[in-house]
Amino acid sequence: MIPSTSRLRPLAADRVTILDGFWGDRLRTNRERTIPHGFAELGHSGVLDNLRLAAGMEGRYRASADSGGSTLPFVDSDAYKWLEAVGWELGRGAYPALAEAADEVIGLIGAAQQPDGYVNSFIQLGSGQPHQDLAWSHEFYCAGHLIQAAVAWHRAVGDDRLLEIAVRAADRIDAEFGPGRRDGIDGHPVIEMALVELTRVTGDRRYLALAARMIDLRGYGLLGDGRFGRSYWQDHAPVRDAAEVAGHAVRQLYLDAGAVDVAVELDDDTLLDAVRRRWDDLMHTRTYLTGGMGSRHRDEAFGDPYELPPDRAYTETCAAIASVMLAWRLLLATGDPGYADAIERGMYNGVLPGISLSGTRFFYTNPLQRRTERTFEPPAHGPRAPWYACACCPPNLMRLFSSWQQYLATSDASGVQLHQYTAADVRADVGGDPVRLIMRTDYPWSGRVAVHVVETPDTPWTLSLRVPAWCRSASITGPDGVGPGSAQSGAGRGATSSDWADIRARSERSEPASRAPQVTDRGMLQRTRTWRTGDAVVLELDMPIRVTEPDPRIDAVRGCVAVERGPLVYCVESADTPPGVPVEDLRWDASRQPAAEPRPDLGPAVVGVTVPLADGGTAGAIPYYAWANRDVEAMRVWLPLP
Amino acid sequence: MIPSTSRLRPLAADRVTILDGFWGDRLRTNRERTIPHGFAELGHSGVLDNLRLAAGMEGRYRASADSGGSTLPFVDSDAYKWLEAVGWELGRGAYPALAEAADEVIGLIGAAQQPDGYVNSFIQLGSGQPHQDLAWSHEFYCAGHLIQAAVAWHRAVGDDRLLEIAVRAADRIDAEFGPGRRDGIDGHPVIEMALVELTRVTGDRRYLALAARMIDLRGYGLLGDGRFGRSYWQDHAPVRDAAEVAGHAVRQLYLDAGAVDVAVELDDDTLLDAVRRRWDDLMHTRTYLTGGMGSRHRDEAFGDPYELPPDRAYTETCAAIASVMLAWRLLLATGDPGYADAIERGMYNGVLPGISLSGTRFFYTNPLQRRTERTFEPPAHGPRAPWYACACCPPNLMRLFSSWQQYLATSDASGVQLHQYTAADVRADVGGDPVRLIMRTDYPWSGRVAVHVVETPDTPWTLSLRVPAWCRSASITGPDGVGPGSAQSGAGRGATSSDWADIRARSERSEPASRAPQVTDRGMLQRTRTWRTGDAVVLELDMPIRVTEPDPRIDAVRGCVAVERGPLVYCVESADTPPGVPVEDLRWDASRQPAAEPRPDLGPAVVGVTVPLADGGTAGAIPYYAWANRDVEAMRVWLPLP
């Protein structure tokens, strides 16, 4: 992605390599277990059969049977998202099994595509009439995911088989819906982002114009009222006017991500400001402590401000993924480190819980509370599932993990910015000269991040390091020598060294509504100098256990507290409560302090928290992302005070 | 309804007359405003057009357009429920306009009915193929409401036009689904109750056998899994086995009401005990303070135990109506006054809020909290609606109000039981001799109830008066002379007179889960004597304002209290808060006492409550049933403590 008018520039997929540690482990699981599992499920669920049948081959058309009797119109997108993930992976290495599987799927898509460029197995196997029911049909939505996969293959692998298919599909849509032709928008946004990327890849500005048109057509009732009202499909208010997020969370977030893409390409500050305004309101009034978004099951929607029930949180995994995509675009567009904070919170606590540690079981929704006694559940209904009839989330996780290294760092004319901390090799250009940095860290278990300069020009440039909003005290050592004897620069609590400038975030830092507002005046630590190969900087982010009180406007968690440490939100599972004490009966003892404890049972270096209970005992809290990986009945993030 | 093995006998519709006062006013509004409004809406919504078209006449078939694009299969039932209400009304007096309207509707139904007895406009205008999709089609459901209307007309008016139609419809179902033939149950129970009534009216036990069969066929997956799981349509567990309520609240409650009907006719204690067990669990774990039931919007379902969010309470008006119908059947079957307590709570606080004071605006859902700031709502989306695309609730309210006098009193071999207090004329037979009582009271505003004996045999019989579970102190005067000088019998706090026996409820009194458990040992006050014409008894139920704490297991209202007085739950509306203080910012001052205040603006004799606020001020609380009758933005039942 190379946006035109962004404040920060992304680094190409091959410029950043995640080395090992927390994210290295997760990404290996993604490649070795999750993506192959996904391919198997594309087969079992009938998604590939749909494409085979649309291509005139033999197939069982299983997609309908697995979705409870009604075929879901968007199953093609499962394949496209999976292909996008594989594209990013093949950019990093030769994985013959993945490549072979992808070849098969690409072949099916190409064979299914009609001569006019149209491809959508649901319509081709059904009515045969394209674009008759844009409110529900997800045709542009599927095309959007096709384009996104094609862009990934183009950028990561230099393989344009998918891009040729995608261009034909996009041209087919443009021919019918381009400027001056039929007005059409999709009930489920996503194609807007994709079309902007297609312009960036091909240079053909027709796609950008079509995306802009699809943004501008919304809000005038083109799709009708439907069952859930116009906000469900983001047709209730013009995109430039709506002051608050509304309706289906994933659709709102995808739409706003596309709006940012259009805004930066067209230098459209009005549009960008509208998205920023909504994001700010969203963070302050409708975001869970976990970064999760979407409070309502009925229509997968945002609720009222401060309507954030922990038990019935919908907080779809895809919404957390979408929030990362949107926050990333806003970070690029503005440089505001608050958006990187949101990415961090969302990745660790909103996205990661959506997949098991094994990599092959998923959550569609991510509640912050599960009771010991529950309403009737079918016998086979466990807390995590290997796949879903509506399987949007699993391949969405795959593609985000496969491209996660692209979210770590950016560059601009003056230097390099490190937004997320994990062991990684980062290469960038500053003023046309190569810069290469190696990050070493045990993050998120430790707040110590060492940055080594491996390659640098002989001219001054600026290194910027994010200080997360949760961090109340940060110190930095170097680059003028690394070690205990070096100068300490206090980044928090007013102690800013003369070496490192503490750049206040441009906007007030946005923290989720589900925590008490915290005043923070930190943002990015910056140092401009002539760097030398071998220079090293060590950032120490203080990472005490934090006991978080909810915003008093959140009715659903009144009288409760939650535990956080570093970027992680914690929870208590029934497996870690005293014998015979259900999770519901736990009461937090505010007079005693929680304590860190190693939890090797959940992975190397994992830090758990022992929480004090009012009965004098304790319970073990684990990172929320790791919940439901053992045999558990109940869990809660917010613990009541006595 | 004349159940075979019940502990108590209901009184026929014409044996009880509600005179005036609270319920007299509401029932007049029902007859004069609500039912005529309903007829107009049956026209506007296309329900009558559906029947016209099915009858081969001209019609617009409007029912589809008003339901957002998808025709709802159960619209015929709107007409049946409306007809049932009219039947009960015509039993009380000649209302020519109602009679004329009803004649038209009955004529349409008769004309639409096929020669084989089948009648269902949705199927007749659609596939033409009956009983192809019992899970979703609501065909038995519609037939059930047809039968219930027919029974009402038979009993109240002695007019059997509908009964003949209903018998043909029932025979058509029995011919296909009776014992030894095709197994079939409806996704939405209701026909079970109706078939038992049809046996009671016709004496033909085939219908009872069919009802029993439909009860016994549930729980084996006959309907498949569907979108919401088998519990949605009560097919997840055998009716005799399920320990807890589950799934769609209205469906569960209608099914259990039918199960009680079958149980008392077949003297089937196992079946009755299963329903009682579920009811008891329901009251303790899943019932709102208002008596409302159903916590989830997505599938209109019961939630987990103690999952009782005030803001997203679904608490469908129909579920409250169904709970009254079920509790009434359990009261008859067992004599346990706890069920009459539930009827009282449900009628005043679960059913009544569903209709405006004007009688022509409705709530489908009845949340206990509405925020000042809310998520996007379409411009015309007000808090009450004149009708709904899915209009089950409005005519359900009509038929319940039109038959409400039947819920007030019962008789048995030894005497008369008064369960609900309102100005009424009650006639019963005791041992074959006529008894006539006149109740005079300002209930629910006053706890004073005078019972005058107008007609009595010369032999001893027992008068039983319910002492509601909310009442902590009751006294009774008479029958040996009325006045200050007469003996006072303390019914509460252990002071029981020798004249009046305080009969402990057979089962522990069931109070809603959303209040703290209260121990009560009161139930029915009973006196057996030879009554004389002119005898009078005055029951005084102490009715102080109660500040109710929630059960600590209810996460969603932790740290809050609610106000109750007598049978009424109160709420604070934005119209009664101090200027500039949104409802969300109110905090209850536990150090000061609430006080009663007259609220003539909401009706004659209405008692409001002034609640103390932590800022030193006060806010006005009104009966919850009266909310949203003024221009209000926000409301809440549960008020946070500071």
Side-chain angles (χ1 to χ4, degrees):
Chain A
M1 184 166 48
I2 306 155
S4 295
T5 68
S6 278
R7 165 75 186 75
L8 304 177
R9 290 196 314 257
L11 305 182
D14 65 351
R15 307 293 280 167
V16 182
T17 304
I18 290 175
L19 298 173
D20 52 21
F22 185 88
W23 281 109
D25 291 346
R26 296 308 298 242
L27 303 191
R28 188 179 325 108
T29 298
N30 185 52
R31 187 181 66 243
E32 294 179 356
R33 309 218 37 198
T34 313
I35 295 176
H37 170 84
F39 182 66
E41 293 292 343
L42 291 179
H44 298 150
S45 65
V47 169
L48 299 184
D49 278 313
N50 273 27
L51 289 170
R52 283 186 192 103
L53 287 164
M57 308 177 200
E58 298 229 345
R60 295 159 302 155
Y61 192 25
R62 279 272 309 276
S64 68
D66 281 3
S67 56
S70 62
T71 307
L72 295 171
F74 42 77
V75 292
D76 288 356
S77 66
D78 299 347
Y80 300 148
K81 282 188 275 193
W82 178 86
L83 271 179
E84 181 184 337
V86 175
W88 296 125
E89 294 297 339
L90 294 181
R92 277 191 285 276
Y95 303 107
L98 291 184
E100 186 181 339
D103 285 348
E104 179 188 349
V105 180
I106 294 171
L108 288 176
I109 298 166
Q113 189 170 40
Q114 296 179 175
D116 68 349
Y118 185 82
V119 56
N120 183 300
S121 74
F122 178 81
I123 297 294
Q124 290 172 266
L125 299 175
S127 71
Q129 301 295 317
H131 307 143
Q132 299 301 303
D133 182 22
L134 293 177
W136 292 108
S137 73
H138 291 71
E139 286 163 276
F140 297 170
Y141 170 87
C142 288
H145 280 297
L146 169 61
I147 295 167
Q148 287 179 327
V151 168
W153 278 75
H154 171 82
R155 291 209 176 115
V157 198
D159 179 331
D160 283 353
R161 284 176 294 167
L162 270 178
L163 188 63
E164 288 163 18
I165 296 170
V167 163
R168 283 196 296 270
D171 287 346
R172 167 71 180 82
I173 294 171
D174 186 62
E176 185 172 353
F177 296 96
R181 294 185 281 275
R182 180 180 166 197
D183 290 345
I185 53 177
D186 196 282
H188 199 315
V190 94
I191 194 174
E192 299 81 2
M193 277 187 272
L195 288 169
V196 176
E197 288 278 78
L198 195 58
T199 285
R200 288 170 180 158
V201 162
T202 64
D204 187 337
R205 292 179 67 85
R206 278 184 306 140
Y207 309 122
L208 171 61
L210 182 58
R213 173 167 157 76
M214 287 175 170
I215 300 277
D216 288 337
L217 283 172
R218 289 189 181 268
Y220 302 99
L222 206 51
L223 299 176
D225 289 339
R227 177 168 176 216
F228 299 122
R230 294 179 182 185
S231 63
Y232 178 73
W233 36 52
Q234 299 297 322
D235 195 21
H236 60 293
V239 179
R240 285 157 208 279
D241 297 345
E244 302 179 1
V245 295
H248 189 286
V250 178
R251 297 174 194 225
Q252 172 76 73
L253 296 166
Y254 278 175
L255 174 63
D256 275 358
V260 175
D261 286 341
V262 168
V264 298
E265 291 302 333
L266 298 179
D267 209 5
D268 184 340
D269 281 347
T270 310
L271 184 56
L272 179 62
D273 288 348
V275 177
R276 294 186 70 181
R277 191 170 62 235
R278 280 192 289 275
W279 174 269
D280 196 51
D281 182 71
L282 166 61
M283 290 298 287
H284 282 94
T285 67
R286 290 172 173 93
T287 302
Y288 282 90
L289 185 67
T290 57
M293 295 171 184
S295 309
R296 296 183 176 177
H297 278 246
R298 179 172 173 272
D299 46 0
E300 310 184 280
F302 296 110
D304 294 339
Y306 307 105
E307 179 192 319
L308 294 164
D311 48 356
R312 290 291 283 172
Y314 195 67
T315 44
E316 185 184 337
T317 303
C318 280
I321 293 169
S323 82
V324 168
M325 295 169 70
L326 173 54
W328 170 246
R329 283 160 171 78
L330 289 168
L331 174 64
L332 292 179
T334 67
D336 185 335
Y339 298 117
D341 289 346
I343 291 172
E344 178 176 85
R345 184 174 289 275
M347 277 301 285
Y348 282 106
N349 309 290
V351 172
L352 263 189
I355 185 166
S356 67
L357 298 177
S358 70
T360 55
R361 294 290 181 277
F362 306 94
F363 274 136
Y364 194 105
T365 65
N366 295 277
L368 282 72
Q369 176 180 3
R370 186 176 198 249
R371 291 189 177 79
T372 308
E373 302 289 333
R374 295 181 302 279
T375 192
F376 175 82
E377 291 174 337
H381 185 93
R384 290 187 182 273
W387 206 248
Y388 288 90
C390 173
C392 50
C393 301
N396 220 1
L397 286 161
M398 297 172 205
R399 70 182 186 132
L400 177 60
F401 291 147
S402 292
S403 56
W404 171 232
Q405 88 282 3
Q406 301 177 51
Y407 292 79
L408 305 187
T410 56
S411 68
D412 63 8
S414 65
V416 177
Q417 302 80 38
L418 298 181
H419 302 290
Q420 306 297 335
Y421 299 121
T422 193
D425 181 341
V426 176
R427 288 178 298 151
D429 289 325
V430 176
D433 295 313
V435 169
R436 184 173 186 186
L437 306 172
I438 301 282
M439 271 196 283
R440 287 285 173 196
T441 180
D442 287 329
Y443 206 83
W445 312 120
S446 149
R448 178 186 174 93
V449 183
V451 181
H452 301 271
V453 179
V454 177
E455 188 172 1
T456 177
D458 247 353
T459 50
W461 57 274
T462 304
L463 177 63
S464 301
L465 304 175
R466 181 177 62 100
V467 178
W470 54 257
C471 179
R472 300 183 188 188
S473 175
S475 66
I476 197 157
T477 309
D480 308 313
V482 177
S486 66
Q488 292 279 328
S489 301
R493 299 271 147 89
T496 304
S497 82
S498 55
D499 288 343
W500 286 81
D502 185 358
I503 305 302
R504 187 180 300 234
R506 278 177 198 75
S507 69
E508 185 190 347
R509 285 298 185 92
S510 293
E511 285 290 282
S514 54
R515 56 186 295 162
Q518 291 184 336
V519 176
T520 176
D521 61 0
R522 290 171 295 282
M524 298 294 276
L525 286 173
Q526 292 191 339
R527 176 97 192 256
T528 306
R529 74 191 295 265
T530 303
W531 298 86
R532 307 285 177 203
T533 298
D535 275 351
V537 169
V538 178
L539 175 67
E540 284 274 6
L541 301 169
D542 261 19
M543 204 178 266
I545 296 166
R546 310 192 300 285
V547 181
T548 304
E549 294 182 6
D551 189 303
R553 291 168 290 196
I554 306 171
D555 293 297
V557 290
R558 178 167 287 114
C560 296
V561 294
V563 181
E564 296 181 274
R565 181 176 180 273
L568 298 174
V569 175
Y570 282 71
C571 68
V572 175
E573 276 189 320
S574 51
D576 294 319
T577 56
V581 180
V583 164
E584 289 73 24
D585 290 352
L586 300 179
R587 292 294 179 274
W588 179 276
D589 181 358
S591 70
R592 291 187 293 149
Q593 294 301 311
E597 60 170 351
R599 288 300 298 257
D601 54 319
L602 297 171
V606 172
V607 177
V609 173
T610 303
V611 305
L613 300 179
D615 67 1
T618 61
I622 64 169
Y624 172 67
Y625 78 74
W627 94 275
N629 280 287
R630 299 173 292 170
D631 193 18
V632 293
E633 281 303 314
M635 176 277 298
R636 63 189 302 164
V637 168
W638 292 101
L639 292 176
L641 296 165
Chain B
M1 183 166 49
I2 307 158
S4 295
T5 67
S6 278
R7 165 74 186 76
L8 305 176
R9 291 196 314 258
L11 305 181
D14 64 351
R15 308 292 280 166
V16 182
T17 304
I18 290 174
L19 299 172
D20 51 21
F22 185 89
W23 282 109
D25 291 347
R26 297 306 299 241
L27 303 192
R28 188 178 326 108
T29 299
N30 184 52
R31 185 181 67 243
E32 295 180 355
R33 307 216 40 197
T34 313
I35 295 176
H37 170 83
F39 182 67
E41 294 292 343
L42 290 179
H44 298 150
S45 64
V47 170
L48 300 184
D49 279 314
N50 274 27
L51 290 169
R52 283 187 192 102
L53 287 163
M57 307 177 202
E58 298 232 341
R60 294 161 302 156
Y61 192 26
R62 280 272 309 277
S64 68
D66 282 4
S67 56
S70 61
T71 307
L72 295 172
F74 42 78
V75 291
D76 288 357
S77 67
D78 300 347
Y80 301 147
K81 283 189 274 192
W82 179 86
L83 272 179
E84 181 183 338
V86 175
W88 296 125
E89 295 296 338
L90 295 181
R92 277 192 284 276
Y95 302 108
L98 292 184
E100 187 182 337
D103 285 347
E104 179 188 348
V105 180
I106 294 171
L108 288 176
I109 298 166
Q113 188 169 39
Q114 297 179 175
D116 68 349
Y118 185 82
V119 56
N120 183 299
S121 74
F122 179 80
I123 297 295
Q124 290 172 266
L125 299 174
S127 72
Q129 301 295 317
H131 306 143
Q132 299 301 304
D133 182 22
L134 293 177
W136 292 107
S137 73
H138 290 71
E139 287 163 277
F140 297 170
Y141 170 88
C142 288
H145 281 297
L146 170 61
I147 295 168
Q148 288 179 327
V151 168
W153 279 73
H154 171 82
R155 290 209 176 115
V157 197
D159 179 330
D160 283 352
R161 286 176 294 167
L162 270 178
L163 188 63
E164 287 163 18
I165 295 170
V167 163
R168 283 196 296 269
D171 287 347
R172 166 71 180 82
I173 293 172
D174 186 62
E176 185 172 351
F177 296 96
R181 295 185 281 275
R182 180 180 166 197
D183 290 345
I185 54 177
D186 195 282
H188 199 315
V190 93
I191 195 173
E192 299 81 2
M193 277 187 273
L195 287 170
V196 176
E197 288 277 78
L198 195 58
T199 285
R200 288 170 180 159
V201 162
T202 64
D204 187 337
R205 292 179 66 87
R206 278 184 306 139
Y207 309 122
L208 171 61
L210 183 58
R213 173 167 156 76
M214 287 174 170
I215 299 277
D216 288 337
L217 282 173
R218 289 188 181 270
Y220 302 99
L222 207 51
L223 299 176
D225 289 341
R227 180 170 172 213
F228 299 122
R230 295 179 182 186
S231 63
Y232 178 72
W233 36 51
Q234 299 297 321
D235 195 22
H236 59 293
V239 179
R240 286 157 208 279
D241 297 346
E244 302 179 0
V245 295
H248 190 287
V250 178
R251 297 173 195 226
Q252 172 77 73
L253 296 166
Y254 278 174
L255 174 62
D256 275 357
V260 175
D261 286 342
V262 167
V264 298
E265 292 302 333
L266 297 180
D267 210 4
D268 184 340
D269 282 348
T270 310
L271 185 55
L272 179 62
D273 288 348
V275 178
R276 295 185 70 180
R277 190 170 62 235
R278 280 193 289 275
W279 174 270
D280 196 51
D281 182 71
L282 166 60
M283 289 299 287
H284 282 93
T285 66
R286 290 173 173 94
T287 302
Y288 282 91
L289 185 66
T290 57
M293 296 170 184
S295 309
R296 296 184 177 177
H297 278 246
R298 179 170 174 272
D299 46 0
E300 310 184 281
F302 296 110
D304 295 339
Y306 308 105
E307 179 192 319
L308 294 164
D311 48 356
R312 290 291 282 173
Y314 195 68
T315 44
E316 185 184 337
T317 303
C318 280
I321 293 169
S323 81
V324 168
M325 296 169 69
L326 173 54
W328 170 247
R329 284 160 171 77
L330 289 168
L331 174 64
L332 292 180
T334 67
D336 185 335
Y339 298 117
D341 290 345
I343 291 172
E344 179 177 84
R345 183 174 291 274
M347 277 301 285
Y348 282 106
N349 309 290
V351 172
L352 264 189
I355 185 165
S356 67
L357 298 176
S358 70
T360 55
R361 294 290 181 279
F362 305 93
F363 274 136
Y364 195 105
T365 65
N366 295 278
L368 282 72
Q369 176 180 3
R370 185 177 199 247
R371 290 188 177 78
T372 308
E373 303 288 333
R374 295 180 301 280
T375 192
F376 175 81
E377 291 174 337
H381 185 92
R384 289 187 183 274
W387 206 248
Y388 288 89
C390 173
C392 49
C393 301
N396 219 0
L397 286 161
M398 297 173 206
R399 68 180 187 135
L400 178 59
F401 292 147
S402 292
S403 57
W404 172 231
Q405 88 281 3
Q406 301 178 50
Y407 292 78
L408 305 187
T410 55
S411 68
D412 63 7
S414 64
V416 178
Q417 301 81 38
L418 298 181
H419 303 288
Q420 308 295 335
Y421 299 121
T422 193
D425 181 341
V426 176
R427 289 178 297 152
D429 289 325
V430 177
D433 294 313
V435 168
R436 184 173 185 186
L437 306 171
I438 301 282
M439 269 196 284
R440 286 286 174 196
T441 181
D442 287 328
Y443 206 84
W445 312 119
S446 151
R448 179 185 173 93
V449 182
V451 181
H452 301 272
V453 179
V454 177
E455 189 174 0
T456 177
D458 247 354
T459 51
W461 57 273
T462 304
L463 176 63
S464 300
L465 304 174
R466 181 177 62 99
V467 178
W470 54 258
C471 179
R472 301 186 187 185
S473 175
S475 65
I476 197 156
T477 309
D480 307 313
V482 176
S486 66
Q488 292 279 327
S489 301
R493 301 270 150 90
T496 304
S497 80
S498 54
D499 288 343
W500 285 82
D502 186 359
I503 304 302
R504 186 179 300 233
R506 279 178 199 75
S507 69
E508 186 191 346
R509 285 297 186 91
S510 294
E511 286 291 282
S514 53
R515 57 186 296 162
Q518 292 184 336
V519 175
T520 176
D521 61 359
R522 292 171 294 282
M524 299 293 275
L525 286 174
Q526 292 191 337
R527 176 94 191 259
T528 306
R529 73 192 295 266
T530 304
W531 298 86
R532 308 286 177 200
T533 299
D535 276 350
V537 169
V538 178
L539 174 67
E540 283 274 7
L541 301 168
D542 263 18
M543 204 178 264
I545 296 166
R546 310 193 302 283
V547 181
T548 304
E549 293 181 6
D551 189 302
R553 290 168 290 195
I554 306 171
D555 293 297
V557 290
R558 178 168 287 113
C560 296
V561 294
V563 181
E564 296 181 275
R565 181 174 179 274
L568 298 174
V569 175
Y570 282 71
C571 68
V572 175
E573 276 189 319
S574 51
D576 294 319
T577 56
V581 180
V583 164
E584 289 74 24
D585 290 353
L586 300 179
R587 293 293 180 273
W588 180 276
D589 180 359
S591 70
R592 291 188 291 148
Q593 293 301 311
E597 59 169 354
R599 289 300 297 258
D601 54 320
L602 296 172
V606 172
V607 176
V609 174
T610 303
V611 304
L613 300 179
D615 67 1
T618 61
I622 64 169
Y624 172 68
Y625 78 76
W627 94 275
N629 280 285
R630 298 173 293 170
D631 194 19
V632 293
E633 281 302 313
M635 176 277 296
R636 64 188 302 164
V637 168
W638 292 102
L639 292 176
L641 296 165

